[in-house]
Amino acid sequence: MTDTEFRHLKVLAQTDVAGFVAARRELIERMISGTDPERQARLWQLQDEIELMRATTPNADQVTQRLAQMISERLDALDLAFSRLPTAAEPIGETVNTAHGAKHQM
């Protein structure tokens, strides 16, 4: 999102709620549709979670806190997944299988 788009959304939020909602939705659709197709489904799922959170949370401060918590939880899960990568792979340099099944020490 550009600074101009942000300023436009800010003015709409203060002066034209319906216009703000439409412009925000258009921006979201443009951003998500600009990604590769297999990622779009995950992004729409995430956007649905955000919309549900916004609709069921009484004020903007609580929405911000809940979004920060959701992001933190996702980052923790990603960190855990990355931390498991080295232990999931066979250590490099132990043995190599040849095409005919023999193992050679590296």
Side-chain angles (χ1 to χ4, degrees):
M1 173 184 347
T2 66
D3 287 343
T4 303
E5 288 172 320
F6 179 80
R7 285 192 296 275
H8 177 68
L9 285 174
K10 182 179 176 183
V11 169
L12 283 176
Q14 295 167 338
T15 61
D16 178 9
V17 174
F20 168 76
V21 170
R24 179 181 170 276
R25 186 66 182 181
E26 181 182 315
L27 176 64
I28 291 167
E29 287 177 4
R30 191 174 74 232
M31 292 175 77
I32 291 175
S33 67
T35 64
D36 42 87
E38 55 272 358
R39 190 166 186 210
Q40 288 180 21
R42 290 192 316 263
L43 290 172
W44 279 119
Q45 181 182 9
L46 176 60
Q47 187 59 39
D48 288 345
E49 289 177 43
I50 292 168
E51 295 300 332
L52 179 61
M53 184 183 302
R54 291 179 73 231
T56 59
T57 304
N59 65 57
D61 288 339
Q62 288 178 338
V63 170
T64 302
Q65 290 172 351
R66 289 183 65 193
L67 283 172
Q69 180 63 36
M70 181 177 72
I71 291 168
S72 177
E73 289 168 0
R74 288 175 187 248
L75 287 173
D76 287 346
L78 186 60
D79 181 55
L80 180 61
F82 278 128
S83 72
R84 289 181 176 169
L85 285 177
T87 60
E90 179 177 273
I92 295 174
E94 288 189 7
T95 58
V96 174
N97 290 324
T98 63
H100 59 283
K103 292 186 176 190
H104 296 279
Q105 189 68 29
M106 295 297 290

